[in-house]
Amino acid sequence: MHALSDETRATVDVVLDYARRRALYADVPLDKPLTPRDLARLASGSITPEGIGARRAAALFENVLAPACVSTDHPGYLSFIPSAPTKASIAFDLIVSASAIYGGSWMEGSGAIFAENEVLHWLASEFGMPAGSGGVFVQGGTIGNLSALVAARDAARRRNREARRPDPARWVVVCSAEAHSSIASAAEVMDVDVAKAAPDAEGRLHGESVAAALDAHGDAVFAVVATGGTTNFGIVDDIASIAAVTTQRGVWLHIDGAYGLAAMLVERTRPLFAGVEHADSVIVDPHKWLFAPFDACALIYRDPPVALRAHTQKAEYLDTITEKADWNPSDLGVQLTRRARGLPLWYSLATYGTEEYRTAITYGIDLAHRIADEIRAREGLSLVRDPQLSVVVFRRDGWTLADYQAWSEKLLDEQHAFVVPSSHAGEPVLRFAIISPLTTFELLTSILDTLA
């Protein structure tokens, strides 16, 4: 398996041939899931004592397993938050895997970590964070939010110890009722409570509501989470007013910008995010609107040493790493073992330049507003809310959830698009989440035509 032989050369060639074809598909297949029963019938028996060989295994994946996975990079994938990795980032992801780089410590991966840090420093600058800000690429938004909140709680505990104050019986994190589910998940892992502050009628959280939550829970609050683009609607909280409150009260401010914070790269949407520059930590997911492959979340701290104190793992076998003043990404999040997952984004940025990214993000915003205007003009369709970023939520008047589900299944069966129902205030709705520059106005209107 490890020797350099004709067999292993052939195996690598088989894989690289498929990877090349998949990366360069002129028309990415949408595909759809199969039932467990169908997959058991078509794909069982691949794990054997002798092995089935590289070509047979690759053929099984290409012809059976891959078509049972919906392609998140298809222009018609408009559910959840799609993925649209650049060709450069896809190709370089192969190099990351082939290079066997451990990206957790400077000692072992300094070159890769330097490149990742170039990207993190650029993002921090775009977000208005001060020189010296930095962080780490982690698996995704859930791990990013968890890591930031662990650092926030550790900082609060240390302040209490320095002031000789006892910790509260239960720590509390404040967030909007519209916050991503990963905040509640992180709180569950950390065994802390969540206080949900009420957003306004448009779904935006404001400083006044945060102040009320802080008044109610006092020193038990160790962090406030604001959202830079909600998943369901793309709503950006009133971060400036929230930051004013957290700064005055001395409470950690974390920005969950997993989907939407990339819109700060666009001049006209940057004002929506005023106040991000005051955050103690932020996240943005490159595998969403920064066109990198799965999986990558950029976690950036205003003051990285605070995170180091919270996350650095202690063990005899790690002393040679942790006792040096090097930049070790594993000391900034909950993951010790890590892939250099920021490299595909680095390579793509270095290849195409940042202006291409601004243009691609602008395209999604423009298209969202254009299709919103089209929805307003169509009889039987209505917008639930005007889009802020690139998520458009709308309804087919008079339809039930069952109607939406049947329509969605038919759309996928016909390989037209992948649009699943969502909900708002108990009402079933539809949403277009626009990420890919290959998604066209004509494709979106053709989907709307099927609702007539």
Side-chain angles (χ1 to χ4, degrees), residues 3 24 33 61 88 94 106 114 166 188 233 243 269 285 449-450:
L24 297 177
F61 180 79
L94 292 173
W106 186 267
F114 179 88
E188 184 72 20
F233 276 93
T269 48
D285 285 357
D449 290 343
T450 67

Side-chain angles (χ1 to χ4, degrees), residues 142-320:
T142 297
I143 300 298
N145 286 332
L146 173 61
S147 297
L149 292 177
V150 167
R153 183 179 61 179
D154 182 76
R157 283 173 169 168
R158 290 174 187 272
R159 285 196 302 271
N160 281 348
R161 287 199 289 273
E162 291 170 2
R164 299 181 183 277
R165 291 192 305 262
D167 288 342
R170 297 283 298 175
W171 288 105
V172 176
V173 57
V174 173
C175 65
S176 169
E178 299 280 343
H180 192 267
S181 57
S182 62
I183 303 302
S185 176
E188 184 72 20
V189 171
M190 297 171 66
D191 193 26
V192 301
D193 294 333
V194 176
K196 293 188 176 181
D200 65 14
E202 297 301 311
R204 299 183 76 206
L205 182 64
H206 294 266
E208 182 180 358
S209 185
V210 169
L214 294 178
D215 290 339
H217 296 279
D219 291 339
V221 178
F222 68 92
V224 171
V225 179
T227 304
T230 59
T231 299
N232 208 27
F233 276 93
I235 296 166
V236 181
D237 286 340
D238 183 5
I239 298 171
S241 68
I242 296 169
V245 172
T246 56
T247 300
Q248 181 185 32
R249 305 287 186 98
V251 178
W252 185 291
L253 174 60
H254 174 63
I255 309 298
D256 177 3
Y259 149 61
L261 199 56
M264 283 195 76
L265 300 181
V266 177
E267 194 64 35
R268 77 168 184 272
T269 48
R270 184 185 294 268
L272 294 172
F273 300 88
V276 168
E277 65 274 13
H278 300 297
D280 294 284
S281 56
V282 305
I283 66 161
V284 63
D285 285 357
H287 61 235
K288 294 186 172 79
W289 219 0
L290 288 172
F291 314 115
F294 290 116
D295 48 21
C297 166
L299 165 61
I300 304 173
Y301 297 99
R302 184 183 197 84
D303 186 12
V306 175
L308 293 174
R309 290 193 289 271
H311 288 293
T312 300
Q313 296 187 29
K314 305 293 185 182
E316 291 177 348
Y317 71 95
L318 293 174
D319 287 347
T320 187

Side-chain angles (χ1 to χ4, degrees), residues 86 89 122 262 265-266 286 289-292 344-350 352-363:
T86 67
S89 67
W122 170 69
L265 300 181
V266 177
W289 219 0
L290 288 172
F291 314 115
L345 175 58
W346 165 79
Y347 182 72
S348 186
L349 282 166
Y352 302 121
T354 58
E355 289 307 307
E356 286 290 332
Y357 276 73
R358 299 185 205 279
T359 299
I361 295 167
T362 300
Y363 174 84

Side-chain angles (χ1 to χ4, degrees), residues 124-147:
S125 175
E126 290 289 333
F127 301 155
M129 300 178 77
S133 300
V136 57
F137 286 95
V138 295
Q139 181 183 13
T142 297
I143 300 298
N145 286 332
L146 173 61
S147 297

Side-chain angles (χ1 to χ4, degrees), residues 401-414:
L401 178 59
D403 293 324
Y404 286 123
Q405 288 174 332
W407 171 83
S408 174
E409 291 170 6
K410 185 173 186 290
L411 205 67
L412 184 59
D413 283 342
E414 295 175 349

